[in-house]
Amino acid sequence: MVTQGAKSQDVFAADALHSAQTFMRLLDAAPLGMLVSTLDGMVVYANPAFSELLGHRPEPGHVFQFADLVSDETNAITRLHFERLLRGEVSVSRGEHQLRHVDGYPVWAMVGATILPAEGDTPPLILVQMNSIELQKRAEEALAASESRWNFALESARQGVWDHDIRTDTMFYSRMWRLMRGIPANEEVDGDQAKWLERVHPDDRPRIVANVHRQDRGESDFDTLEYRERTRDGDYIWILSRGRPVEWDAQGNPTRTIGTDTDITRIKKMEQELAAEKERLRITLEAVADGMISTDLDGRIIFMNPAAELLTGSNAATTVGQSVRDIFHLRSEHGEEKLPCPVLACLAQSTQIRIDDDSVLCALDGPRRDIRATASPVFDAAGALSGAVLVFQDVTQSRALQRQLAHSASHDDLTGLPNRASFERGLSAAIVSARNGPRQHSLVYLDLDRFKPVNDTAGHAAGDALLKQVAQNIRGVCRSHDLAARIGGDEFAIILEDCPIAHGRAVAEKIVRAIGALAFSWAGRDYSIGASAGVTIIGARSASPLGFMGEADAACYAAKAQGRGCVVAYPDMAAS
């Protein structure tokens, strides 16, 4: 039978796998080169388009930094761009950078970078997009020599060109600029800026109006603009517009700005899908009732969901980066013995570790909870161990119910003493221990005297109350490790561990005296009862459980024959 916890784990695992596969599929299908790196520049992912762009084809275990890709000529500029991004001065860094192909020659690329903040189990990362602008660069270099070659290069790269004459406030648009907007190649386009702004999406228009003049002035932070523009068929496409001044007047004021527009609708759609997948994963993790902790290869926590915070009594904001064994404290259910951390065992063995029983989670804020946990290894794309995920459930109520059911199955409902089945198991164990070693145990069989009149005259409720008092008296005389059980209506049996016959008889006599002195009143009437007991020894001699019980029963019968209220030892009977 599959438990609810296992179902929740399966659902989580399926959702996580689907999200990861979707994420990788979208990145792998991106037409632009894309890298994901840590904040210190260590590359952790590169898509196929990147490999095509620079020739680098990362192999498993191969580690490199983004700085390794930048040519010496633009290294300083590139470093400044990324430092501004890391300092938070800009949210998106975009610029032209000269990169180094694996064969050694330089490659110009438009590089955009943004920081993906830490969220869920993902640390802060830098997402880098790069698009080759080699054709554009070559076209710029050859512009003076060959206008046709310039146009051909840009169109081959699907770059729409615009030319803004600031003095006359007129615009020139290239053929590709028209085509990407669904405008016929030879159709005249009104270059009035107001006409263009009418096509810009209303949500983007205020930002563009506020910044387009800054692009004309050549401000470095505003040489690239992103916005949505309505095409001839009514749809909106995302435009990446790059431009800068190329001519100035005598006073140094820009008089002409040239730029290119790129349709980045596919990239934006991919970003939105990735964001949606990430949000669905976040909501799923927060909604799951099971505690979830993700760690790195060294067992340091990198993610905790709200359920894990509640169960461990910790806060994710302060525990991230700490060792999981400092947060996840397990102890034995039957004592204070500290249990090994399942996550560290999982990482050491590279295999799944399950904890199903005898495990108590000691929360940092005090509560102790019975738990069930599974620690599973996490492998990267190359098959190398990269961390572990711990999923655990609070099973305090279910285990309490199991204990209650187990107690009910082995104990008498009325007196709380072990029942006959439990006693027989204990008797078998005592016989084995005596047979295999120099141990002796005393077996006492006890039958109440004058109990039937209480039931007949006062009723069964009175009889039940009396039996409870008798059971308390028996427990009060016996040691904590002795086994006292109710094996019939008014019959009891006791195993006195490591107790010779003489001492066993003395204990039986003490029990008989305690029962005889019992003062029991019911409905204003006093009742007096007694008990007779037989004692035998469980030793190394061969005998079956039925044989030892038969001896004790026979001794009890002899005690009743002698006038009740006394104890008879079976060895004395056998000797006479």
mmCIF file of all heavy atoms in Angstrom, residues 167 247-256:
data_model
loop_
_atom_site.group_PDB
_atom_site.id
_atom_site.type_symbol
_atom_site.label_atom_id
_atom_site.label_comp_id
_atom_site.label_asym_id
_atom_site.label_seq_id
_atom_site.Cartn_x
_atom_site.Cartn_y
_atom_site.Cartn_z
ATOM 1 N N ARG A 167 19.035 66.663 -36.873
ATOM 2 C CA ARG A 167 18.837 68.055 -37.296
ATOM 3 C C ARG A 167 17.497 68.236 -37.994
ATOM 4 O O ARG A 167 16.807 69.225 -37.785
ATOM 5 C CB ARG A 167 19.981 68.482 -38.213
ATOM 6 C CG ARG A 167 21.332 68.615 -37.514
ATOM 7 C CD ARG A 167 22.477 68.699 -38.490
ATOM 8 N NE ARG A 167 22.581 67.486 -39.311
ATOM 9 C CZ ARG A 167 23.604 67.220 -40.105
ATOM 10 N NH1 ARG A 167 24.602 68.091 -40.214
ATOM 11 N NH2 ARG A 167 23.645 66.110 -40.803
ATOM 12 N N GLU A 247 27.636 61.204 -35.766
ATOM 13 C CA GLU A 247 28.044 62.533 -36.233
ATOM 14 C C GLU A 247 27.694 63.554 -35.165
ATOM 15 O O GLU A 247 26.697 63.409 -34.439
ATOM 16 C CB GLU A 247 27.347 62.902 -37.548
ATOM 17 C CG GLU A 247 27.755 62.025 -38.726
ATOM 18 C CD GLU A 247 27.026 62.406 -40.013
ATOM 19 O OE1 GLU A 247 26.265 63.405 -39.977
ATOM 20 O OE2 GLU A 247 27.220 61.725 -41.028
ATOM 21 N N TRP A 248 28.544 64.594 -35.069
ATOM 22 C CA TRP A 248 28.348 65.642 -34.081
ATOM 23 C C TRP A 248 28.562 67.008 -34.736
ATOM 24 O O TRP A 248 29.276 67.118 -35.740
ATOM 25 C CB TRP A 248 29.356 65.490 -32.938
ATOM 26 C CG TRP A 248 29.168 64.240 -32.137
ATOM 27 C CD1 TRP A 248 28.513 64.096 -30.970
ATOM 28 C CD2 TRP A 248 29.668 62.936 -32.466
ATOM 29 N NE1 TRP A 248 28.553 62.802 -30.536
ATOM 30 C CE2 TRP A 248 29.258 62.058 -31.435
ATOM 31 C CE3 TRP A 248 30.409 62.424 -33.537
ATOM 32 C CZ2 TRP A 248 29.565 60.696 -31.439
ATOM 33 C CZ3 TRP A 248 30.712 61.071 -33.545
ATOM 34 C CH2 TRP A 248 30.296 60.221 -32.492
ATOM 35 N N ASP A 249 27.968 68.040 -34.162
ATOM 36 C CA ASP A 249 28.190 69.384 -34.678
ATOM 37 C C ASP A 249 29.429 69.990 -34.017
ATOM 38 O O ASP A 249 30.129 69.325 -33.231
ATOM 39 C CB ASP A 249 26.954 70.265 -34.473
ATOM 40 C CG ASP A 249 26.567 70.421 -33.004
ATOM 41 O OD1 ASP A 249 27.438 70.144 -32.132
ATOM 42 O OD2 ASP A 249 25.418 70.820 -32.726
ATOM 43 N N ALA A 250 29.692 71.231 -34.310
ATOM 44 C CA ALA A 250 30.904 71.882 -33.802
ATOM 45 C C ALA A 250 30.896 72.008 -32.294
ATOM 46 O O ALA A 250 31.961 72.065 -31.662
ATOM 47 C CB ALA A 250 31.050 73.266 -34.441
ATOM 48 N N GLN A 251 29.742 72.047 -31.717
ATOM 49 C CA GLN A 251 29.648 72.156 -30.269
ATOM 50 C C GLN A 251 29.681 70.789 -29.569
ATOM 51 O O GLN A 251 29.559 70.703 -28.348
ATOM 52 C CB GLN A 251 28.351 72.886 -29.866
ATOM 53 C CG GLN A 251 28.349 74.366 -30.188
ATOM 54 C CD GLN A 251 28.202 74.628 -31.670
ATOM 55 O OE1 GLN A 251 27.441 73.923 -32.351
ATOM 56 N NE2 GLN A 251 28.929 75.631 -32.174
ATOM 57 N N GLY A 252 29.818 69.740 -30.359
ATOM 58 C CA GLY A 252 29.879 68.400 -29.777
ATOM 59 C C GLY A 252 28.530 67.762 -29.542
ATOM 60 O O GLY A 252 28.439 66.713 -28.893
ATOM 61 N N ASN A 253 27.467 68.370 -30.075
ATOM 62 C CA ASN A 253 26.128 67.793 -29.926
ATOM 63 C C ASN A 253 25.883 66.771 -31.035
ATOM 64 O O ASN A 253 26.181 67.030 -32.204
ATOM 65 C CB ASN A 253 25.062 68.887 -30.007
ATOM 66 C CG ASN A 253 25.221 69.897 -28.897
ATOM 67 O OD1 ASN A 253 25.400 69.536 -27.739
ATOM 68 N ND2 ASN A 253 25.141 71.187 -29.249
ATOM 69 N N PRO A 254 25.331 65.582 -30.697
ATOM 70 C CA PRO A 254 25.058 64.574 -31.727
ATOM 71 C C PRO A 254 24.078 65.115 -32.754
ATOM 72 O O PRO A 254 23.095 65.783 -32.421
ATOM 73 C CB PRO A 254 24.448 63.411 -30.936
ATOM 74 C CG PRO A 254 24.886 63.621 -29.529
ATOM 75 C CD PRO A 254 24.973 65.107 -29.351
ATOM 76 N N THR A 255 24.372 64.850 -34.046
ATOM 77 C CA THR A 255 23.470 65.269 -35.112
ATOM 78 C C THR A 255 22.912 64.086 -35.900
ATOM 79 O O THR A 255 21.989 64.252 -36.703
ATOM 80 C CB THR A 255 24.214 66.193 -36.091
ATOM 81 O OG1 THR A 255 25.347 65.494 -36.639
ATOM 82 C CG2 THR A 255 24.681 67.454 -35.384
ATOM 83 N N ARG A 256 23.471 62.889 -35.662
ATOM 84 C CA ARG A 256 23.003 61.720 -36.400
ATOM 85 C C ARG A 256 23.247 60.482 -35.551
ATOM 86 O O ARG A 256 24.321 60.319 -34.977
ATOM 87 C CB ARG A 256 23.735 61.596 -37.729
ATOM 88 C CG ARG A 256 23.250 60.451 -38.604
ATOM 89 C CD ARG A 256 24.101 60.354 -39.857
ATOM 90 N NE ARG A 256 23.686 59.262 -40.710
ATOM 91 C CZ ARG A 256 24.409 58.781 -41.716
ATOM 92 N NH1 ARG A 256 25.593 59.327 -42.004
ATOM 93 N NH2 ARG A 256 23.966 57.788 -42.456
#
